[in-house]
């Protein structure tokens, strides 16, 4: 019951934002708070996408809230926030780190595995390329079948049979290019997409599980999103810079205007103060002269 309630609440938050029933965000922040994950607002935070996979890196340190995302989407219709620039830089950092780990893994394998000749390596690459395409096609066919798209799934069967035949032929060529002992030694490589280890001897079930698995598909989603964002990154980055610059000028003008008003008010205050002081001195001198005349008159009358 609690799970169903939570799901319903999340759906309402996603649709209506923090304003539903007059409530505010449970984190007591707005969508534009620096503590809110901008990649989450754009549906591309790697920590969300890779949750519950072998590379689950835990919850994001920034806030993820469906209601805040709904608030952002409404606000974005009226005002460009340029959050895609932040998301691009976030994904670039994540993928760069992932690619560094891939290179480290490749180096480790090159140090521990028998080095292949260029000719044998080329034949092995042909096996891997066919294995990757076969695995992806098998995963797609299974996905269609799970969704009830039987006709689409059956259409892929012909392609799968063709790939199976080509892969078998490539394996024979690869096997015949080296000694039996060398071929029997498992030769691993690192997946360029998700950093997982693959073998040229993996069976079709293993290939389908890999290329149709949540880890591989998650990395594909991240890389595709990054590729999409990078198309306009330079243009959007420059537009954001100009926008922030204009906003800064506006703030500076407002501060300058307030400062000028303050200076003018201060001058007026000082002028009024000097005027009051001058009037006070004038009245004091007048009273002093009157007092002297009164004393002089009293002295005359006395004599």
């Amino acid at each position: 019951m609690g799970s169903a309630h939570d799901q319903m609440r999340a759906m309402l938050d996603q649709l209506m934002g923090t304003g539903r029933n007059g409530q505010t965000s449970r984190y007591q922040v707005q969508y534009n708070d620096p503590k809110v994950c901008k990649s989450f607002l754009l549906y591309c935070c790697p920590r969300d996408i890779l949750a519950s996979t072998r590379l689950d890196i835990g919850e994001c340190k920034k806030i993820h809230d469906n209601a805040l995302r709904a608030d952002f989407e409404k606000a974005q219709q009226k005002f460009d926030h340029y959050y895609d620039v932040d998301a691009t830089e976030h994904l670039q950092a994540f993928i760069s780190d992932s690619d560094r780990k891939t290179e480290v893994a490749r180096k480790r394998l090159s140090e521990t595995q028998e080095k292949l000749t260029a000719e044998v390596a080329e034949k092995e690459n042909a096996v891997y390329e066919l294995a990757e395409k076969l695995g992806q096609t098998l995963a797609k066919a299974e996905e269609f079948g799970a969704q009830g798209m039987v006709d689409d799934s059956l259409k892929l069967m012909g392609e799968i049979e063709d790939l199976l035949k080509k892969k078998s032929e490539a394996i024979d060529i690869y096997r015949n290019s080296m000694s039996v002992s060398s071929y029997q030694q498992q030769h691993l490589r690192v997946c360029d997409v998700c950093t997982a280890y693959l073998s040229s001897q993996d069976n079709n079930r293993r290939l389908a599980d890999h290329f149709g698995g949540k880890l591989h598909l998650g990395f594909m989603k991240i890389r595709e999103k990054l590729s999409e964002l990078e198309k306009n990154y330079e243009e959007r980055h420059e537009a954001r810079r100009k926008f922030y610059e204009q906003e800064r000028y506006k703030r500076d003008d407002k501060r300058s205007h307030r400062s000028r008003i303050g200076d003018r008010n201060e001058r007026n205050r000082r002028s009024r103060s000097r005027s009051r002081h001058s009037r006070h001195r004038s009245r004091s001198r007048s009273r002093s002269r009157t007092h002297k005349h009164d004393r002089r008159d009293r002295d005359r009358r006395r004599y």
Side-chain angles (χ1 to χ4, degrees):
M1 181 66 71
S3 178
H5 176 75
D6 291 341
Q7 290 177 6
M8 183 61 70
R9 178 187 176 89
M11 288 176 62
L12 289 172
D13 287 344
Q14 188 74 41
L15 289 171
M16 304 179 65
T18 57
R20 71 182 184 92
N21 298 327
Q23 68 177 18
T24 57
S25 168
R26 61 195 176 101
Y27 296 100
Q28 301 301 309
V29 298
Q30 295 182 328
Y31 71 88
N32 55 357
D33 192 289
K35 294 191 288 260
V36 177
C37 177
K38 295 180 175 63
S39 297
F40 165 78
L41 297 179
L42 293 172
Y43 297 87
C44 60
C45 179
R47 291 178 182 268
D48 269 0
I49 296 172
L50 299 179
S52 303
T53 69
R54 181 176 60 81
L55 289 183
D56 188 332
I57 47 182
E59 291 186 2
C60 184
K61 295 179 181 179
K62 294 196 173 185
I63 295 171
H64 289 200
D65 188 318
N66 287 328
L68 293 176
R69 179 190 277 160
D71 287 349
F72 160 71
E73 290 173 348
K74 291 176 184 175
Q76 180 68 8
Q77 295 175 2
K78 303 176 182 177
F79 169 76
D80 192 349
H81 294 72
Y82 298 99
Y83 286 177
D84 54 309
V85 177
D86 301 276
T88 304
E89 293 167 355
H90 181 197
L91 296 189
Q92 284 174 335
F94 177 81
I95 291 298
S96 294
D97 182 61
S98 176
D99 289 344
R100 279 195 298 271
K101 291 177 181 177
T102 298
E103 287 305 313
V104 170
R106 282 203 185 105
K107 185 178 179 181
R108 189 181 299 120
L109 286 176
S110 68
E111 293 172 350
T112 57
Q113 295 187 148
E114 178 185 350
K115 189 173 182 179
L116 302 176
T117 64
E119 181 183 356
V120 174
E122 183 180 353
K123 292 178 173 59
E124 185 190 48
N125 286 336
V127 174
Y128 272 114
E129 289 174 5
L130 287 166
E132 180 176 352
K133 192 170 183 180
L134 175 61
Q136 291 172 345
T137 308
L138 282 167
K140 194 68 176 176
E142 291 181 355
E143 181 185 349
F144 284 155
Q147 295 175 357
M149 303 167 64
V150 180
D151 292 341
D152 292 313
S153 180
L154 291 174
K155 286 178 182 178
L156 292 177
M157 294 309 298
E159 185 177 345
I160 290 172
E161 290 178 5
D162 183 54
L163 288 170
L164 283 169
K165 182 180 178 181
K166 289 181 178 179
K167 182 192 172 189
S168 179
E169 293 172 352
I171 288 176
D172 288 340
I173 295 173
Y174 171 53
R175 183 192 293 117
N176 294 331
S177 66
M178 60 198 329
S179 65
V180 175
S181 60
S182 295
Y183 177 76
Q184 288 176 343
Q185 180 185 7
Q186 188 179 45
H187 200 77
L188 299 175
R189 71 164 50 189
V190 185
C191 178
D192 292 333
V193 175
C194 66
T195 75
Y197 288 103
L198 291 171
S199 169
S200 59
Q201 300 175 21
D202 283 339
N203 59 40
N204 297 330
R205 178 70 267 160
R206 167 76 174 83
L207 292 172
D209 288 344
H210 171 80
F211 291 107
K214 189 174 181 180
L215 177 64
H216 189 86
L217 294 178
F219 265 97
M220 283 185 64
K221 181 178 179 179
I222 294 170
R223 290 179 183 277
E224 287 170 0
K225 183 65 176 180
L226 177 57
S227 178
E228 175 190 333
L229 291 172
E230 284 182 330
K231 290 177 182 177
N232 300 316
Y233 173 71
E234 295 298 334
E235 177 184 341
R236 296 284 292 166
H237 188 277
E238 179 63 16
R240 186 182 69 168
R241 185 192 66 78
K242 290 181 179 178
F243 171 76
Y244 284 166
E245 193 174 75
Q246 290 172 357
E247 290 297 301
R248 186 170 63 251
Y249 287 153
K250 289 178 183 177
R251 289 194 299 270
D252 290 344
D253 286 343
K254 287 181 180 179
R255 282 196 292 266
S256 178
H257 180 65
R258 287 196 296 267
S259 178
R260 288 195 298 270
I261 292 176
D263 291 344
R264 186 174 61 198
N265 290 340
E266 178 64 17
R267 288 194 299 270
N268 291 338
R269 187 190 65 78
R270 290 178 180 176
S271 177
R272 289 193 298 271
S273 178
R274 286 195 297 269
S275 178
R276 287 195 300 270
H277 184 64
S278 177
R279 289 196 299 271
H280 176 72
R281 290 178 59 187
S282 177
R283 286 195 296 269
S284 296
R285 286 195 295 268
S286 177
R287 284 195 298 270
S288 177
R289 285 195 297 269
T290 301
H291 181 65
K292 288 180 181 178
H293 291 161
D294 290 344
R295 287 180 57 189
R296 192 180 301 128
D297 290 342
R298 286 198 301 271
D299 289 343
R300 286 174 181 170
R301 286 195 299 270
R302 184 179 301 168
Y303 293 104

